[in-house]
C-alpha cells in the first residue's frame, strides 16, 4: 500500500465517524466538473480529491486530497501538505462567543502558519478538525 493509499484509507475511516462528511463525497456532475478544474490547477496527478466543499457560486471552497488541504476564499488560495499540519489546528473566536462558537464558526487555522481553511458550516468544521488532527500519521508498517 502506498502512502497516498494509506492516507486515503485513514481519511475515509475517520470521516466515516462523521455523517456530515460522509455525505460530501464527490458524486454529481457539477462536483465532478469542479474537481476536474481543481486537478488541473492545484492537485498533483497522483493525488485524489477525497472531500470537496464549496458554495454554489464557488467563491469559497476547500478540498482535501491524499496529500494536502487546499482552500480558496477572499480571492486567495491556501495550501498545506497534510504532513505539515503537525496536529496544529485552531478555531479563531474573534467576534464569536464561546456559546455560539459551535454554531457560527467557518474557519480552521492549520499548521505553524495558521492558514485559514474555510468550511461551509460548523458541523463540517468540527468533523474536519478531528480528521486533520491525525496528521502527520506515523509510518505505515
Amino acid at each position: 500500500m502506498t502512502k497516498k493509499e494509506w492516507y486515503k484509507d485513514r481519511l475515509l475511516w475517520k470521516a466515516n465517524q462523521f455523517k456530515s462528511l460522509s455525505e460530501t463525497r464527490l458524486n454529481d456532475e457539477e462536483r465532478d466538473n469542479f474537481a476536474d478544474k481543481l486537478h488541473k490547477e492545484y492537485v498533483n496527478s497522483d493525488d485524489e480529491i477525497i472531500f470537496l466543499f464549496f458554495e454554489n457560486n464557488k467563491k469559497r471552497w476547500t478540498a482535501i486530497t491524499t496529500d494536502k488541504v487546499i482552500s480558496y476564499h477572499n480571492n486567495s488560495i491556501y495550501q498545506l501538505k497534510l504532513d505539515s499540519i503537525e496536529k496544529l489546528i485552531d478555531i479563531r473566536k474573534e467576534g464569536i462567543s464561546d456559546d455560539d462558537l459551535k454554531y457560527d464558526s467557518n474557519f480552521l487555522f492549520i499548521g505553524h502558519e495558521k492558514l485559514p481553511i474555510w468550511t461551509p458550516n460548523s458541523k463540517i468544521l468540527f468533523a474536519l478538525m478531528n480528521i486533520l488532527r491525525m496528521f502527520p500519521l506515523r509510518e505505515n508498517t
Side-chain angles (χ1 to χ4, degrees), residues 18 20-21 102-103 105 119-129:
F18 302 97
S20 58
L21 276 183
K102 63 184 172 186
Y103 304 110
S105 296
T119 63
N121 59 53
S122 58
K123 278 186 180 179
I124 291 176
L125 177 134
F126 285 102
L128 195 56
M129 179 175 66

Side-chain angles (χ1 to χ4, degrees), residues 63-116:
I64 310 299
T65 75
T66 53
D67 185 51
K68 60 187 168 181
V69 178
I70 312 162
S71 189
Y72 176 82
H73 49 88
N74 298 328
N75 295 318
S76 295
I77 191 82
Y78 302 91
Q79 301 183 64
L80 189 66
K81 290 199 171 277
L82 294 173
D83 288 338
S84 296
I85 293 172
E86 296 187 17
K87 303 184 188 310
L88 299 171
I89 300 175
D90 291 319
I91 301 170
R92 191 163 290 157
K93 298 180 183 180
E94 293 174 15
I96 301 173
S97 71
D98 288 343
D99 292 338
D100 292 333
L101 187 64
K102 63 184 172 186
Y103 304 110
D104 294 333
S105 296
N106 286 89
F107 286 92
L108 291 174
F109 296 86
I110 63 173
H112 290 286
E113 301 88 349
K114 301 289 184 210
L115 294 180

Side-chain angles (χ1 to χ4, degrees):
M1 178 180 283
T2 68
K3 180 178 179 179
K4 290 185 181 190
E5 290 170 335
W6 187 53
Y7 275 30
K8 176 182 178 180
D9 180 64
R10 297 288 79 200
L11 285 163
L12 294 175
W13 168 79
K14 189 71 168 177
N16 193 44
Q17 299 171 10
F18 302 97
K19 186 176 180 183
S20 58
L21 276 183
S22 62
E23 294 171 350
T24 64
R25 295 285 294 153
L26 303 176
N27 59 11
D28 64 19
E29 186 176 331
E30 180 184 23
R31 206 173 276 251
D32 289 344
N33 290 339
F34 189 52
D36 287 343
K37 180 183 177 202
L38 290 179
H39 266 287
K40 290 176 187 169
E41 294 183 29
Y42 304 108
V43 180
N44 297 335
S45 61
D46 63 338
D47 287 343
E48 182 179 345
I49 298 172
I50 306 299
F51 299 105
L52 176 60
F53 315 103
F54 61 91
E55 292 181 328
N56 288 336
N57 59 15
K58 309 222 183 25
K59 290 187 179 185
R60 294 195 280 190
W61 54 263
T62 295
I64 310 299
T65 75
T66 53
D67 185 51
K68 60 187 168 181
V69 178
I70 312 162
S71 189
Y72 176 82
H73 49 88
N74 298 328
N75 295 318
S76 295
I77 191 82
Y78 302 91
Q79 301 183 64
L80 189 66
K81 290 199 171 277
L82 294 173
D83 288 338
S84 296
I85 293 172
E86 296 187 17
K87 303 184 188 310
L88 299 171
I89 300 175
D90 291 319
I91 301 170
R92 191 163 290 157
K93 298 180 183 180
E94 293 174 15
I96 301 173
S97 71
D98 288 343
D99 292 338
D100 292 333
L101 187 64
K102 63 184 172 186
Y103 304 110
D104 294 333
S105 296
N106 286 89
F107 286 92
L108 291 174
F109 296 86
I110 63 173
H112 290 286
E113 301 88 349
K114 301 289 184 210
L115 294 180
I117 304 300
W118 173 82
T119 63
N121 59 53
S122 58
K123 278 186 180 179
I124 291 176
L125 177 134
F126 285 102
L128 195 56
M129 179 175 66
N130 281 294
I131 291 168
L132 295 178
R133 276 196 176 139
M134 294 189 307
F135 293 97
L137 294 173
R138 289 189 315 206
E139 288 296 319
N140 185 13
T141 54

